[in-house]
Amino acid sequence: MGQLILDVDTGVDDALALMVAARHADWNLRAVTCVAGNTSLEGVVRNTLTVLDAVGATDVPVAAGAARPLLGEPRDAGHVHGSDGLADLGWPRSARAPEAIHAVELLRREILASPEPVTLVPLAPMTNIALLLRTYPEVAANIGRIVFMGGSASAGNASPVAEFNVWHDPEAAQIVISSGLPVTMYGLDVFYSAAVEAPDIELLLKADDAGCRLSGQLLSHLARVNGDDFRLKLPGSAGLGDAGAVCAVIDPEGLETSELRVEVSLSSSLTRGQTVVDQRTKASEATLPHGHLSRDSIDVALGVDGRRYAALFLDTIRSHDGK
Ligand code: BDR
Ligand code: CA
Protein backbone atom coordinates (compact mmCIF):
# COMPACT_ATOMS: atom_id res chain seq x y z
CA MET A 1 0.00 0.00 0.00
CA GLY A 2 1.31 3.48 -0.89
CA GLN A 3 2.23 5.76 1.98
CA LEU A 4 0.91 9.31 1.75
CA ILE A 5 1.20 12.49 3.80
CA LEU A 6 -0.65 15.71 2.97
CA ASP A 7 0.35 19.22 4.02
CA VAL A 8 -2.69 21.50 3.72
CA ASP A 9 -4.22 24.95 4.25
CA THR A 10 -7.84 23.71 4.27
CA GLY A 11 -9.33 25.42 2.20
CA VAL A 12 -12.22 24.19 0.07
CA ASP A 13 -10.15 22.31 -2.51
CA ASP A 14 -7.74 21.00 0.18
CA ALA A 15 -10.88 19.50 1.75
CA LEU A 16 -11.64 17.63 -1.50
CA ALA A 17 -8.02 16.44 -1.57
CA LEU A 18 -8.25 15.17 2.02
CA MET A 19 -11.40 13.24 1.17
CA VAL A 20 -9.96 11.42 -1.83
CA ALA A 21 -6.68 10.69 -0.01
CA ALA A 22 -8.50 9.32 3.05
CA ARG A 23 -10.87 7.15 1.02
CA HIS A 24 -8.65 5.60 -1.65
CA ALA A 25 -8.16 1.91 -0.90
CA ASP A 26 -4.58 1.70 -2.26
CA TRP A 27 -3.13 4.53 -0.18
CA ASN A 28 -2.50 4.86 3.53
CA LEU A 29 -2.91 8.47 4.66
CA ARG A 30 -0.32 8.45 7.45
CA ALA A 31 -0.71 12.05 8.62
CA VAL A 32 -1.91 15.52 7.72
CA THR A 33 -0.01 18.67 8.62
CA CYS A 34 -1.43 22.18 8.61
CA VAL A 35 -0.03 25.56 7.62
CA ALA A 36 -1.47 29.06 7.36
CA GLY A 37 -2.55 29.96 3.84
CA ASN A 38 -6.15 30.07 2.68
CA THR A 39 -7.12 30.90 6.27
CA SER A 40 -5.42 31.22 9.67
CA LEU A 41 -3.51 28.25 11.10
CA GLU A 42 -6.20 27.76 13.74
CA GLY A 43 -8.88 27.72 11.05
CA VAL A 44 -6.90 25.29 8.89
CA VAL A 45 -6.57 22.83 11.80
CA ARG A 46 -10.28 23.12 12.62
CA ASN A 47 -11.33 22.63 8.99
CA THR A 48 -8.94 19.71 8.46
CA LEU A 49 -10.26 17.80 11.48
CA THR A 50 -13.84 18.56 10.44
CA VAL A 51 -13.30 17.19 6.93
CA LEU A 52 -11.52 14.05 8.17
CA ASP A 53 -14.44 13.41 10.56
CA ALA A 54 -16.90 13.76 7.68
CA VAL A 55 -15.17 10.97 5.74
CA GLY A 56 -14.71 8.78 8.83
CA ALA A 57 -10.92 9.23 8.93
CA THR A 58 -10.88 9.99 12.63
CA ASP A 59 -7.64 8.12 13.32
CA VAL A 60 -5.40 10.09 10.92
CA PRO A 61 -3.03 12.24 13.03
CA VAL A 62 -3.17 15.98 12.38
CA ALA A 63 -0.70 18.61 13.61
CA ALA A 64 -0.45 22.37 13.40
CA GLY A 65 2.68 23.89 11.87
CA ALA A 66 3.71 27.33 10.69
CA ALA A 67 1.33 30.23 11.34
CA ARG A 68 3.16 32.48 8.86
CA PRO A 69 5.57 32.28 5.92
CA LEU A 70 9.36 32.24 6.43
CA LEU A 71 9.38 35.94 5.51
CA GLY A 72 6.52 38.41 5.58
CA GLU A 73 3.00 38.20 6.87
CA PRO A 74 0.27 35.60 6.19
CA ARG A 75 -2.32 36.66 3.59
CA ASP A 76 -5.52 34.62 3.41
CA ALA A 77 -7.79 33.79 0.47
CA GLY A 78 -11.19 34.37 2.10
CA HIS A 79 -12.50 35.75 -1.19
CA VAL A 80 -12.38 32.18 -2.58
CA HIS A 81 -12.70 29.95 0.48
CA GLY A 82 -15.13 31.98 2.65
CA SER A 83 -14.50 33.66 5.99
CA ASP A 84 -13.98 30.31 7.79
CA GLY A 85 -11.92 28.82 4.93
CA LEU A 86 -14.53 26.11 4.40
CA ALA A 87 -17.16 27.96 2.35
CA ASP A 88 -19.09 29.18 5.43
CA LEU A 89 -21.34 26.10 5.24
CA GLY A 90 -21.93 25.84 8.98
CA TRP A 91 -20.89 22.16 8.81
CA PRO A 92 -20.62 20.71 12.38
CA ARG A 93 -17.10 21.12 13.71
CA SER A 94 -14.94 18.25 14.87
CA ALA A 95 -14.54 17.74 18.61
CA ARG A 96 -11.11 16.19 18.00
CA ALA A 97 -7.90 17.99 19.01
CA PRO A 98 -4.71 17.98 16.92
CA GLU A 99 -1.58 16.14 18.09
CA ALA A 100 0.31 17.99 20.81
CA ILE A 101 3.43 18.25 18.61
CA HIS A 102 4.49 20.63 15.83
CA ALA A 103 3.80 19.61 12.23
CA VAL A 104 7.55 19.29 11.56
CA GLU A 105 7.80 16.71 14.35
CA LEU A 106 4.80 14.77 13.07
CA LEU A 107 6.25 14.78 9.54
CA ARG A 108 9.59 13.52 10.82
CA ARG A 109 7.95 10.81 12.94
CA GLU A 110 5.72 9.48 10.18
CA ILE A 111 8.29 9.66 7.39
CA LEU A 112 10.92 7.80 9.41
CA ALA A 113 8.38 5.21 10.65
CA SER A 114 7.01 4.44 7.20
CA PRO A 115 7.73 0.92 5.89
CA GLU A 116 8.12 2.35 2.36
CA PRO A 117 9.20 5.74 1.01
CA VAL A 118 6.47 8.30 1.56
CA THR A 119 4.84 10.42 -1.13
CA LEU A 120 4.60 13.90 0.34
CA VAL A 121 1.87 16.12 -1.09
CA PRO A 122 2.06 19.81 -0.14
CA LEU A 123 -1.14 21.58 -1.21
CA ALA A 124 -0.38 24.88 0.48
CA PRO A 125 2.45 27.35 1.06
CA MET A 126 5.46 25.07 1.63
CA THR A 127 6.66 26.61 4.91
CA ASN A 128 6.32 23.36 6.91
CA ILE A 129 8.13 21.33 4.27
CA ALA A 130 11.03 23.79 4.01
CA LEU A 131 11.37 23.80 7.81
CA LEU A 132 11.30 19.99 7.81
CA LEU A 133 14.02 19.63 5.16
CA ARG A 134 16.24 22.16 6.93
CA THR A 135 15.65 20.78 10.47
CA TYR A 136 15.73 17.05 9.75
CA PRO A 137 17.52 16.51 6.41
CA GLU A 138 17.71 12.78 7.18
CA VAL A 139 14.01 12.40 6.30
CA ALA A 140 14.92 12.85 2.61
CA ALA A 141 16.08 9.23 2.49
CA ASN A 142 12.51 8.01 3.07
CA ILE A 143 10.67 10.49 0.83
CA GLY A 144 9.95 8.83 -2.52
CA ARG A 145 8.56 11.92 -4.23
CA ILE A 146 7.12 15.34 -3.46
CA VAL A 147 4.05 16.19 -5.56
CA PHE A 148 3.13 19.78 -4.79
CA MET A 149 0.23 21.93 -5.93
CA GLY A 150 1.68 25.27 -6.78
CA GLY A 151 3.42 27.37 -9.37
CA SER A 152 2.67 27.96 -13.01
CA ALA A 153 4.52 27.79 -16.29
CA SER A 154 2.10 30.39 -17.65
CA ALA A 155 -0.20 32.87 -15.87
CA GLY A 156 -0.57 33.27 -12.11
CA ASN A 157 -3.61 33.78 -9.89
CA ALA A 158 -2.36 35.67 -6.81
CA SER A 159 -0.49 38.03 -9.14
CA PRO A 160 -0.25 38.17 -12.95
CA VAL A 161 2.65 35.71 -12.81
CA ALA A 162 2.57 34.03 -9.35
CA GLU A 163 0.39 31.19 -8.09
CA PHE A 164 -1.00 31.60 -4.54
CA ASN A 165 0.92 28.84 -2.69
CA VAL A 166 4.32 29.84 -4.08
CA TRP A 167 3.52 33.57 -3.85
CA HIS A 168 2.65 33.13 -0.15
CA ASP A 169 6.06 31.66 0.70
CA PRO A 170 8.46 31.89 -2.24
CA GLU A 171 11.59 31.10 -0.17
CA ALA A 172 10.01 27.88 1.13
CA ALA A 173 9.01 26.84 -2.39
CA GLN A 174 12.55 27.44 -3.63
CA ILE A 175 13.95 25.25 -0.83
CA VAL A 176 11.65 22.39 -1.86
CA ILE A 177 12.19 22.79 -5.62
CA SER A 178 15.97 22.82 -5.23
CA SER A 179 16.03 20.00 -2.63
CA GLY A 180 17.35 17.42 -5.07
CA LEU A 181 14.41 15.12 -4.24
CA PRO A 182 12.16 13.85 -7.04
CA VAL A 183 9.59 16.65 -7.32
CA THR A 184 6.44 17.05 -9.44
CA MET A 185 4.93 20.50 -9.85
CA TYR A 186 1.13 20.26 -10.26
CA GLY A 187 0.57 23.91 -11.08
CA LEU A 188 -2.03 26.20 -12.61
CA ASP A 189 -1.28 24.78 -16.07
CA VAL A 190 -3.37 21.73 -15.07
CA PHE A 191 -5.16 22.93 -11.92
CA TYR A 192 -8.38 24.03 -13.66
CA SER A 193 -8.61 21.17 -16.14
CA ALA A 194 -9.90 18.44 -13.83
CA ALA A 195 -13.48 19.45 -13.06
CA VAL A 196 -16.65 17.79 -11.78
CA GLU A 197 -19.71 18.54 -13.91
CA ALA A 198 -22.99 19.94 -12.57
CA PRO A 199 -25.09 16.70 -12.74
CA ASP A 200 -22.44 14.84 -10.71
CA ILE A 201 -22.40 17.62 -8.11
CA GLU A 202 -26.21 17.25 -7.81
CA LEU A 203 -25.85 13.50 -7.18
CA LEU A 204 -23.28 14.12 -4.44
CA LEU A 205 -25.60 16.60 -2.75
CA LYS A 206 -28.34 13.92 -2.54
CA ALA A 207 -26.13 11.09 -1.23
CA ASP A 208 -26.69 9.27 2.07
CA ASP A 209 -23.04 9.50 3.02
CA ALA A 210 -21.95 12.67 4.86
CA GLY A 211 -18.58 12.82 3.06
CA CYS A 212 -20.31 12.79 -0.33
CA ARG A 213 -22.74 15.51 0.74
CA LEU A 214 -19.94 17.71 2.10
CA SER A 215 -17.96 17.29 -1.13
CA GLY A 216 -21.10 18.26 -3.09
CA GLN A 217 -21.55 21.42 -1.02
CA LEU A 218 -17.88 22.36 -1.42
CA LEU A 219 -17.98 21.77 -5.18
CA SER A 220 -21.17 23.88 -5.47
CA HIS A 221 -19.36 26.67 -3.67
CA LEU A 222 -16.40 26.42 -6.06
CA ALA A 223 -18.69 26.41 -9.10
CA ARG A 224 -20.21 29.64 -7.76
CA VAL A 225 -17.04 31.53 -6.86
CA ASN A 226 -15.01 30.41 -9.88
CA GLY A 227 -17.86 30.60 -12.41
CA ASP A 228 -16.32 33.68 -14.03
CA ASP A 229 -12.96 31.99 -14.71
CA PHE A 230 -12.48 31.35 -18.43
CA ARG A 231 -10.14 28.44 -17.59
CA LEU A 232 -13.19 26.42 -16.43
CA LYS A 233 -14.70 25.24 -19.69
CA LEU A 234 -18.10 23.80 -18.64
CA PRO A 235 -20.82 26.00 -17.06
CA GLY A 236 -21.75 24.87 -13.54
CA SER A 237 -18.69 22.64 -13.25
CA ALA A 238 -16.20 22.92 -10.38
CA GLY A 239 -12.47 22.37 -10.54
CA LEU A 240 -11.01 19.70 -8.27
CA GLY A 241 -8.07 22.01 -7.55
CA ASP A 242 -5.79 20.46 -4.94
CA ALA A 243 -7.65 17.14 -5.20
CA GLY A 244 -6.28 16.83 -8.74
CA ALA A 245 -2.75 16.62 -7.30
CA VAL A 246 -3.81 13.67 -5.14
CA CYS A 247 -5.35 12.05 -8.25
CA ALA A 248 -1.97 12.54 -9.94
CA VAL A 249 -0.33 10.52 -7.15
CA ILE A 250 -2.92 7.74 -7.39
CA ASP A 251 -2.97 7.66 -11.20
CA PRO A 252 0.20 9.27 -12.60
CA GLU A 253 -0.63 8.02 -16.13
CA GLY A 254 -3.31 10.71 -16.35
CA LEU A 255 -0.71 13.47 -16.13
CA GLU A 256 1.68 14.71 -18.84
CA THR A 257 4.91 16.05 -17.40
CA SER A 258 8.15 17.47 -18.79
CA GLU A 259 11.44 17.54 -16.95
CA LEU A 260 12.32 21.23 -16.82
CA ARG A 261 14.45 23.62 -14.82
CA VAL A 262 12.40 25.74 -12.43
CA GLU A 263 13.45 28.56 -10.16
CA VAL A 264 11.30 30.81 -7.98
CA SER A 265 11.57 34.58 -8.30
CA LEU A 266 12.61 35.80 -4.85
CA SER A 267 12.90 39.44 -5.80
CA SER A 268 10.73 42.04 -4.16
CA SER A 269 9.43 43.16 -7.53
CA LEU A 270 6.24 42.41 -9.45
CA THR A 271 7.52 38.91 -10.27
CA ARG A 272 7.95 37.75 -6.63
CA GLY A 273 6.70 34.18 -6.30
CA GLN A 274 6.75 33.44 -10.03
CA THR A 275 7.98 29.95 -10.92
CA VAL A 276 10.30 30.65 -13.85
CA VAL A 277 10.13 27.51 -15.99
CA ASP A 278 12.77 27.06 -18.68
CA GLN A 279 10.84 25.79 -21.71
CA ARG A 280 13.38 26.81 -24.32
CA THR A 281 13.82 24.03 -26.84
CA LYS A 282 16.96 25.19 -28.68
CA ALA A 283 19.88 23.60 -26.84
CA SER A 284 22.29 26.42 -27.63
CA GLU A 285 19.88 28.99 -26.14
CA ALA A 286 19.04 26.96 -23.04
CA THR A 287 22.71 26.73 -22.11
CA LEU A 288 23.62 30.38 -22.68
CA PRO A 289 25.32 31.57 -19.49
CA HIS A 290 23.34 34.83 -19.28
CA GLY A 291 19.96 33.08 -19.23
CA HIS A 292 20.77 29.90 -17.37
CA LEU A 293 18.65 28.73 -14.44
CA SER A 294 20.98 27.41 -11.79
CA ARG A 295 18.71 24.80 -10.22
CA ASP A 296 17.93 21.16 -10.87
CA SER A 297 15.16 19.96 -13.12
CA ILE A 298 11.81 18.84 -11.76
CA ASP A 299 8.77 17.25 -13.44
CA VAL A 300 6.35 19.99 -14.46
CA ALA A 301 2.75 18.99 -15.24
CA LEU A 302 1.73 20.55 -18.54
CA GLY A 303 -1.30 18.41 -19.41
CA VAL A 304 -3.90 16.34 -17.58
CA ASP A 305 -6.73 13.99 -18.51
CA GLY A 306 -9.32 15.96 -16.56
CA ARG A 307 -12.21 13.56 -17.20
CA ARG A 308 -10.15 10.65 -15.94
CA TYR A 309 -9.33 12.46 -12.69
CA ALA A 310 -12.94 13.61 -12.20
CA ALA A 311 -14.05 9.96 -12.55
CA LEU A 312 -11.34 8.82 -10.13
CA PHE A 313 -12.41 11.46 -7.63
CA LEU A 314 -16.11 10.55 -7.86
CA ASP A 315 -15.54 6.79 -7.69
CA THR A 316 -13.32 7.18 -4.63
CA ILE A 317 -15.61 9.59 -2.77
CA ARG A 318 -18.69 7.46 -3.52
CA SER A 319 -17.01 4.22 -2.46
CA HIS A 320 -18.53 4.67 1.03
CA ASP A 321 -22.00 5.73 -0.07
CA GLY A 322 -24.85 3.26 0.48
CA LYS A 323 -26.86 4.41 -2.56
C1 BDR B 1 -3.94 27.08 -4.45
O1 BDR B 1 -4.18 28.18 -3.57
C2 BDR B 1 -5.18 27.84 -2.63
O2 BDR B 1 -6.11 28.87 -2.55
C3 BDR B 1 -5.80 26.55 -3.09
O3 BDR B 1 -6.17 25.77 -1.97
C4 BDR B 1 -4.70 25.90 -3.90
O4 BDR B 1 -3.86 25.12 -3.09
C5 BDR B 1 -4.30 27.50 -5.85
O5 BDR B 1 -3.51 28.58 -6.25
CA1 CA C 1 -4.49 24.55 -0.81
Side-chain angles (χ1 to χ4, degrees):
M1 180 175 275
Q3 304 292 322
L4 193 63
I5 296 179
L6 265 51
D7 184 73
V8 295
D9 61 339
T10 318
V12 174
D13 58 328
D14 302 78
L16 301 172
L18 287 165
M19 291 176 174
V20 71
R23 284 206 164 165
H24 199 276
D26 297 343
W27 288 85
N28 175 29
L29 181 58
R30 295 189 68 87
V32 179
T33 50
C34 300
V35 64
N38 287 324
T39 193
S40 66
L41 179 63
E42 191 190 6
V44 171
V45 172
R46 182 193 63 229
N47 293 343
T48 299
L49 291 165
T50 295
V51 170
L52 290 173
D53 277 11
V55 289
T58 51
D59 54 351
V60 175
V62 173
R68 50 172 291 185
L70 296 178
L71 298 178
E73 297 301 319
R75 293 167 287 184
D76 71 34
H79 60 293
V80 176
H81 299 267
S83 64
D84 70 349
L86 203 58
D88 296 314
L89 300 175
W91 192 271
R93 291 182 183 186
S94 172
R96 190 153 72 103
E99 303 276 303
I101 53 174
H102 192 276
V104 168
E105 301 299 327
L106 181 62
L107 286 164
R108 174 181 178 271
R109 184 183 89 193
E110 291 301 321
I111 291 168
L112 294 182
S114 175
E116 285 168 36
V118 166
T119 302
L120 186 55
V121 187
L123 302 172
M126 289 194 274
T127 322
N128 286 341
I129 312 304
L131 291 170
L132 171 74
L133 295 176
R134 286 291 190 258
T135 313
Y136 299 118
E138 66 273 21
V139 297
N142 210 29
I143 296 175
R145 178 166 286 274
I146 295 178
V147 179
F148 76 93
M149 189 288 126
S152 172
S154 46
N157 57 1
S159 86
V161 294
E163 179 282 330
F164 178 81
N165 291 337
V166 176
W167 171 83
H168 201 267
D169 197 337
E171 282 74 19
Q174 180 58 30
I175 287 172
V176 174
I177 287 170
S178 63
S179 65
L181 285 162
V183 171
T184 301
M185 176 171 122
Y186 186 95
L188 294 181
D189 313 283
V190 289
F191 185 76
Y192 299 96
S193 303
V196 178
E197 295 182 31
D200 287 316
I201 300 176
E202 285 305 313
L203 287 177
L204 288 170
L205 288 169
K206 291 181 194 143
D208 285 339
D209 168 67
C212 286
R213 286 200 306 280
L214 177 56
S215 71
Q217 292 188 26
L218 294 169
L219 286 162
S220 300
H221 169 87
L222 286 175
R224 236 179 358 261
V225 293
N226 291 333
D228 60 344
D229 197 319
F230 70 93
R231 290 170 285 199
L232 268 179
K233 306 267 181 313
L234 296 163
S237 69
L240 288 178
D242 287 343
V246 176
C247 292
V249 171
I250 298 169
D251 179 16
E253 300 290 304
L255 200 65
E256 275 169 47
T257 61
S258 292
E259 203 184 321
L260 297 166
R261 282 186 303 221
V262 178
E263 196 165 332
V264 180
S265 168
L266 303 178
S267 76
S268 54
S269 72
L270 194 58
T271 64
R272 182 166 169 78
Q274 179 180 16
T275 43
V276 179
V277 179
D278 193 345
Q279 296 187 77
R280 290 174 295 176
T281 49
K282 192 165 183 263
S284 57
E285 283 175 357
T287 52
L288 284 176
H290 53 260
H292 187 79
L293 294 183
S294 56
R295 307 295 176 177
D296 293 336
S297 299
I298 62 170
D299 289 332
V300 178
L302 295 174
V304 64
D305 186 339
R307 285 186 187 279
R308 178 167 163 156
Y309 282 2
L312 172 59
F313 173 82
L314 289 168
D315 288 349
T316 307
I317 295 296
R318 288 184 187 138
S319 60
H320 289 52
D321 187 36
K323 276 189 182 166

